[in-house]
Amino acid sequence: MKKAQIISIGNELLIGDTINTNASWLGGLLTEQGFYVEQVFTIPDDYDIIYKKVKKSLQQSELTVVTGGLGPTHDDITKKVLVDLFDSKLIENREVLDFIKMIFERRGFTFSRVNAAQAQVPENCEVLFNNKGTAPGMWFEKNGNSLIVLPGVPNEMKFLMEKRALPKIHELFPDREVWATRYFKTAGVPESTLSEQIGDLDEFVNNGVGVAYLPGPAGVTIRISANADTLQLAEGKLTKLKDLLYEKAGDVIFGEGKNLKLEEVAGKILTDNELTIATAESCTGGLLSSKITDIPGSSAYMKGGVVAYGNEVKISALNVLENDLNKGGAVSKNVALQMAKGVAEKMKTDIGVSATGIAGPGGGTDEKPVGTVWMGFWIKGDHFALKAVLSNDRLLNKERTVMIILETVRRRLQGVNELPYQLKPHSA
Amino acid sequence: MKKAQIISIGNELLIGDTINTNASWLGGLLTEQGFYVEQVFTIPDDYDIIYKKVKKSLQQSELTVVTGGLGPTHDDITKKVLVDLFDSKLIENREVLDFIKMIFERRGFTFSRVNAAQAQVPENCEVLFNNKGTAPGMWFEKNGNSLIVLPGVPNEMKFLMEKRALPKIHELFPDREVWATRYFKTAGVPESTLSEQIGDLDEFVNNGVGVAYLPGPAGVTIRISANADTLQLAEGKLTKLKDLLYEKAGDVIFGEGKNLKLEEVAGKILTDNELTIATAESCTGGLLSSKITDIPGSSAYMKGGVVAYGNEVKISALNVLENDLNKGGAVSKNVALQMAKGVAEKMKTDIGVSATGIAGPGGGTDEKPVGTVWMGFWIKGDHFALKAVLSNDRLLNKERTVMIILETVRRRLQGVNELPYQLKPHSA
């Protein structure tokens, strides 16, 4: 199996200012690509350490990926190392320079010498053109081993890796033993419940199929993987387990794909059913509509929303009855129901959803503790509310509420009876 | 300066299933404690690699912290390495064993041999008793250097480090120098512009003051740090540079603190000035109101918002003139201006802000490329719009737009003339 090593450069990573998410993302990608990711080295912006580490890794492993140390204020330590390591010299890359100038023009920034320096690259590297930023990626070869150098800004690093480096990797390492990996995304079911529902998988694990439950704030992901000489053979090893997962937990699996998002799936279902949606948010403060509109093309089904933080807005913008606000309080079944129906009527949509709750950390009472959330649903006339009591973490409560609402919409539209966390609907 | 190295053990870290947050947390803590954190090594559950790495680090640095590889499933490897490295043998720790049994009783789990194994520790280590879990921490000494071995579960690792390891560190390394670190947060100014505005800092750097520009999607953070025998002396070394930063860049520094957020500062200014705000969002889809309401107590100044994704909603909910929508299109100065004023009037607030743009990746034209955003402001009657052309990354564009709007509000209310990215206001 081809060996890969990752070198993350940057003092900020060592002193705890930045969490090294790049290494984790690269590790996942290289593993899928059939490399054995042996080590990750996180090192400071220090010439000697960078030089020693890159040189050694280049000798030890078929593929080395270096990230960081290329920003305009990193005084080019990394580039100096590369120049010395490959006894090369820096030359100006015209294409990169023009692109950087264009970016600065477009944004109306003043172009400066430090920016021009970013267009300087070692003569003997292949430039990986960076459409997302000013620091280009670089590809080097030495004794049949490869070295990829990328900027540390995550979205630029990911772009360069996927769009520029991967094609070269496929071409240079054709004989990799490939991994087939599948991610099954679930929402609204705890890890323990899910694993019990699916049951014992030793039969598969003993036959070399990897299984992992990966819990996250937005739900649990089931990851299964197997390797073989060809992707087809590896995929074949997963078929039986895949069928089992759908048989046992099909209702709570909203889709497949490591980065698949619930809002993406919900959006597709709305599109397929030619349905429109609007949101009425209090405690989630706009996070729900923001997630829905994270998806390109969401304007096809998302008409809009109201963030009704103050009670006056609940009344004026959503037709919530003042009487109900005074009687049951803003965090109540009736207010949630009226917000959902109100926004659907105002914005003339098929579906209206709402959230009103006590996000925390303060504001809780004995009868309505912090984390109490009422969610309202108006789905083509089907009118009901759900109550959940979540944590005392404000941001987590916002995220969980959004997830429950989206998953409830998905399950209702796909005819799944059980609701997230087995919540019971309160009808109007 | 005492040198420290961190070794993170675990395949899950290398294949990208888990992000290595432990290393970042430990790096921050050890730096504060006056250690130079030279490297972080992330390695697999592999005897040879663990043996080599721990042995080498123990020779190279005064302090080595190892996390992971102690769970009931793979404790053997790491402990075997430790036994061989210190040619010791495993003995059962009575206190730990009783504690583990107690935990299992309490949770009603059946106690098994693998669990008992966790009470086995190398004879020559000092046990760091773990009140939070079943895997104890261990402290080793060799040739005056120290090795701390901790479980990988974050809350257990943190507990053992703070409550068990720190007291020993203070006792064994009394002569450490302590670090004073300050974080200055800026928004709306590119890293290159900021560093040129502040100018050459060699005078400070040569006197042992560390300076770093940390760019992020929400702005650039300037970190300065110095070490001395006492915190007071270290702080003293920063005074002059701190004054210089405020003198050169005070206008763009919105506050101090590693985790300070712009929405928090904006919220405080609104509170202090007893002003209320409402938002009207198209391309940001609710992200602006969500950020504002991330701050506890934001209901004091945030009345609400309208997510006007469809044009009908812009007209019905925000009084945008249909004529202007048809003439200039939804992404235009007039629409942005009307959205801001409209939402302030509808929700009876002092301030209304709006965003309408082409978030991308699609929908761009020659005259209005992807990333074109118009932002509207109605600040106590002061009515103007800003135009920015951002990237072709949808989510980044949403985040940048929110940042520009919040920073514009902050600068206007604090009497700063220059606007983010030196944008020019277009008056109504």
Side-chain angles (χ1 to χ4, degrees):
Chain A
M1 208 165 164
K2 302 279 187 220
K3 204 197 280 182
Q5 299 199 357
I6 298 167
I7 300 175
S8 308
I9 300 173
N11 298 334
E12 69 278 8
L13 298 167
L14 291 162
I15 68 175
D17 280 348
T18 309
I19 293 172
N20 193 349
T21 55
N22 283 350
S24 156
W25 184 87
L26 281 167
L29 182 107
L30 293 171
T31 302
E32 276 173 33
Q33 291 299 320
F35 288 89
Y36 168 53
V37 181
E38 194 197 50
Q39 297 195 46
V40 174
F41 303 96
T42 310
I43 59 178
D45 299 295
D46 175 294
Y47 179 93
D48 296 328
I49 297 177
I50 297 173
Y51 186 94
K52 265 179 56 190
K53 204 53 91 180
V54 174
K55 185 176 183 185
K56 194 167 176 200
S57 179
L58 199 49
Q59 290 161 350
Q60 288 179 334
S61 50
E62 282 88 353
L63 181 64
T64 300
V65 182
V66 175
T67 63
L70 294 178
T73 54
H74 275 79
D75 50 36
D76 295 333
I77 299 175
T78 308
K79 275 185 193 166
K80 194 167 176 346
V81 167
L82 296 167
V83 164
D84 297 350
L85 202 56
F86 295 93
D87 44 64
S88 174
K89 64 184 212 302
L90 287 177
I91 56 167
E92 183 171 84
N93 183 298
R94 195 77 230 147
E95 197 187 357
V96 174
L97 185 65
D98 295 344
F99 182 73
I100 298 175
K101 283 183 174 160
M102 187 273 282
I103 289 181
F104 274 70
E105 240 166 60
R106 228 174 62 155
R107 303 191 187 162
F109 301 166
T110 40
F111 183 80
S112 68
R113 245 179 48 263
V114 277
N115 305 114
Q118 300 211 272
Q120 301 263 333
V121 293
E123 196 171 21
N124 59 346
C125 81
E126 177 178 333
V127 170
L128 307 175
F129 191 81
N130 181 0
N131 302 39
K132 301 256 176 199
T134 56
M138 295 166 264
W139 184 296
F140 297 85
E141 290 288 327
K142 195 162 199 169
N143 316 328
N145 291 342
S146 300
L147 169 68
I148 303 172
V149 183
L150 305 171
V153 184
N155 75 309
E156 299 182 25
M157 183 277 296
K158 289 176 183 173
F159 170 83
L160 286 165
M161 195 65 198
E162 284 175 333
K163 296 285 181 295
R164 303 279 178 253
L166 267 192
K168 271 188 75 69
I169 288 174
H170 292 148
E171 153 201 329
L172 283 169
F173 303 96
D175 58 335
R176 289 159 301 138
E177 200 183 48
V178 290
W179 281 81
T181 309
R182 286 179 174 275
Y183 296 84
F184 303 87
K185 312 277 270 190
T186 74
V189 52
E191 182 181 2
S192 52
T193 312
L194 183 62
S195 55
E196 276 173 15
Q197 195 174 329
I198 288 168
D200 180 18
L201 298 175
D202 290 354
E203 169 204 347
F204 298 94
V205 174
N206 298 336
N207 288 314
V209 177
V211 182
Y213 291 90
L214 312 170
V220 180
T221 300
I222 310 167
R223 177 177 172 281
I224 66 174
S225 55
N227 62 336
D229 293 338
T230 74
L231 189 61
Q232 199 179 12
L233 283 171
E235 291 276 7
K237 291 185 182 176
L238 299 179
T239 321
K240 218 174 128 209
L241 176 51
K242 186 185 166 185
D243 296 344
L244 182 79
L245 292 178
Y246 275 109
E247 180 200 319
K248 301 270 192 181
D251 279 357
V252 298
I253 294 172
F254 65 78
E256 279 188 52
K258 184 175 186 176
N259 302 314
L260 181 71
K261 291 195 157 47
L262 182 53
E263 49 269 31
E264 195 178 334
V265 173
K268 186 164 185 330
I269 296 167
L270 291 170
T271 311
D272 295 347
N273 293 281
E274 293 177 346
L275 295 170
T276 56
I277 191 167
T279 58
E281 305 181 65
S282 182
C283 61
T284 49
L287 185 63
L288 174 57
S289 59
S290 183
K291 291 254 192 208
I292 292 173
T293 57
D294 277 348
I295 307 305
S298 47
S299 52
Y301 47 85
M302 175 63 168
K303 288 298 153 230
V306 171
V307 177
Y309 224 57
N311 278 349
E312 328 78 74
V313 179
K314 291 186 180 75
I315 296 165
S316 64
L318 295 169
N319 302 338
V320 172
L321 300 174
E322 188 162 9
N323 184 25
D324 283 317
L325 275 168
N326 299 335
K327 267 211 329 273
V331 179
S332 62
K333 172 186 154 187
N334 285 343
V335 171
L337 286 166
Q338 288 164 28
M339 286 171 70
K341 185 163 184 247
V343 79
E345 285 172 346
K346 285 253 177 183
M347 301 197 175
K348 304 189 178 58
T349 57
D350 308 298
I351 299 173
V353 289
S354 72
T356 176
I358 299 148
T365 64
D366 292 355
E367 161 218 12
K368 289 179 189 174
V370 168
T372 304
V373 181
W374 275 97
M375 294 157 281
F377 298 85
W378 172 266
I379 302 180
K380 299 182 292 178
D382 179 10
H383 201 197
F384 62 96
L386 299 176
K387 182 193 182 187
V389 180
L390 305 169
S391 74
N392 51 13
D393 180 310
R394 184 178 182 89
L395 301 189
L396 211 57
N397 289 342
K398 288 177 69 173
E399 206 161 337
R400 288 254 167 82
T401 304
V402 167
M403 181 257 279
I404 293 173
I405 291 172
L406 290 173
E407 176 66 358
T408 299
V409 170
R410 178 193 78 83
R411 293 192 188 188
R412 277 291 161 124
L413 293 180
Q414 295 197 318
V416 176
N417 285 326
E418 191 177 283
L419 291 173
Y421 301 116
Q422 298 168 8
L423 294 171
K424 296 278 156 282
H426 303 247
S427 51
Chain B
M1 207 169 158
K2 303 275 184 222
K3 203 197 282 182
Q5 299 199 354
I6 298 167
I7 300 174
S8 308
I9 300 173
N11 298 332
E12 72 280 8
L13 298 167
L14 291 163
I15 67 175
D17 279 349
T18 309
I19 293 171
N20 193 352
T21 54
N22 283 351
S24 160
W25 184 87
L26 281 167
L29 182 105
L30 294 171
T31 303
E32 278 170 30
Q33 290 299 320
F35 289 89
Y36 168 53
V37 181
E38 195 197 51
Q39 296 195 46
V40 174
F41 304 96
T42 311
I43 60 178
D45 300 295
D46 176 291
Y47 178 93
D48 296 329
I49 296 177
I50 298 174
Y51 185 95
K52 265 180 53 191
K53 204 52 93 181
V54 174
K55 184 176 183 185
K56 195 166 175 201
S57 178
L58 198 50
Q59 291 160 352
Q60 290 178 334
S61 51
E62 281 88 355
L63 180 63
T64 300
V65 182
V66 175
T67 63
L70 293 178
T73 52
H74 44 22
D75 55 352
D76 320 289
I77 302 174
T78 308
K79 277 189 191 162
K80 195 169 178 341
V81 167
L82 295 167
V83 164
D84 296 351
L85 203 54
F86 296 93
D87 43 63
S88 174
K89 64 186 211 311
L90 289 176
I91 57 167
E92 183 171 87
N93 183 298
R94 195 76 228 148
E95 196 189 357
V96 174
L97 184 64
D98 294 344
F99 182 72
I100 299 175
K101 282 182 172 161
M102 187 271 283
I103 289 181
F104 274 71
E105 249 165 52
R106 230 178 31 193
R107 301 189 188 159
F109 299 164
T110 43
F111 183 81
S112 70
R113 247 181 46 269
V114 278
N115 308 114
Q118 298 211 274
Q120 301 263 329
V121 293
E123 197 171 20
N124 58 346
C125 81
E126 176 178 334
V127 171
L128 307 175
F129 191 80
N130 181 359
N131 303 39
K132 302 259 175 200
T134 57
M138 294 166 266
W139 184 296
F140 298 86
E141 291 287 328
K142 196 164 199 171
N143 318 328
N145 291 341
S146 301
L147 169 67
I148 303 172
V149 182
L150 304 171
V153 185
N155 73 310
E156 298 182 26
M157 182 278 295
K158 289 176 184 173
F159 170 83
L160 286 165
M161 196 63 199
E162 285 175 331
K163 295 285 179 298
R164 304 276 179 252
L166 267 192
K168 270 188 76 69
I169 288 176
H170 291 150
E171 157 201 327
L172 282 170
F173 302 96
D175 56 335
R176 287 163 305 126
E177 296 197 311
V178 288
W179 281 82
T181 308
R182 287 180 173 277
Y183 297 84
F184 303 87
K185 311 276 269 188
T186 75
V189 53
E191 182 181 357
S192 53
T193 312
L194 183 62
S195 57
E196 284 185 352
Q197 192 175 331
I198 288 168
D200 182 19
L201 298 176
D202 291 352
E203 170 204 346
F204 298 94
V205 175
N206 297 337
N207 287 314
V209 176
V211 181
Y213 293 89
L214 311 171
V220 180
T221 300
I222 309 168
R223 186 192 72 241
I224 65 173
S225 53
N227 60 336
D229 293 337
T230 73
L231 190 61
Q232 199 178 11
L233 283 170
E235 291 277 6
K237 288 188 181 176
L238 298 180
T239 321
K240 217 174 129 210
L241 177 50
K242 186 184 167 185
D243 295 345
L244 181 80
L245 292 179
Y246 275 110
E247 179 200 319
K248 299 269 193 181
D251 280 357
V252 298
I253 295 171
F254 65 78
E256 280 188 53
K258 185 175 183 176
N259 301 314
L260 182 71
K261 289 192 156 49
L262 181 54
E263 48 269 31
E264 196 178 331
V265 173
K268 185 164 184 334
I269 296 168
L270 291 170
T271 311
D272 294 346
N273 293 280
E274 292 177 347
L275 295 170
T276 55
I277 191 169
T279 58
E281 304 182 64
S282 183
C283 61
T284 49
L287 184 63
L288 174 58
S289 60
S290 182
K291 290 254 193 210
I292 292 173
T293 57
D294 277 348
I295 307 305
S298 47
S299 52
Y301 47 85
M302 175 64 169
K303 288 298 153 230
V306 172
V307 177
Y309 225 57
N311 280 348
E312 328 78 74
V313 179
K314 292 187 180 74
I315 297 165
S316 64
L318 295 169
N319 303 336
V320 171
L321 300 174
E322 187 162 9
N323 185 25
D324 283 320
L325 275 168
N326 299 335
K327 268 213 326 276
V331 179
S332 62
K333 170 187 154 187
N334 285 342
V335 170
L337 287 167
Q338 289 164 28
M339 286 171 71
K341 184 160 183 254
V343 80
E345 287 171 346
K346 285 253 179 183
M347 302 199 174
K348 305 187 177 57
T349 56
D350 307 298
I351 299 173
V353 290
S354 73
T356 176
I358 299 149
T365 65
D366 292 354
E367 162 217 10
K368 290 178 190 174
V370 169
T372 305
V373 181
W374 276 97
M375 293 157 281
F377 298 84
W378 173 266
I379 301 179
K380 299 181 292 176
D382 178 11
H383 201 196
F384 63 95
L386 299 177
K387 183 193 182 186
V389 181
L390 306 169
S391 74
N392 52 13
D393 182 307
R394 185 180 183 86
L395 301 190
L396 214 57
N397 289 341
K398 288 178 68 172
E399 207 158 341
R400 289 246 173 86
T401 304
V402 167
M403 181 257 279
I404 294 173
I405 291 173
L406 290 173
E407 177 66 358
T408 299
V409 169
R410 178 193 78 83
R411 293 193 188 186
R412 277 291 160 127
L413 293 180
Q414 295 197 317
V416 176
N417 285 326
E418 190 177 287
L419 290 173
Y421 300 118
Q422 298 164 11
L423 294 171
K424 297 277 157 281
H426 303 248
S427 52

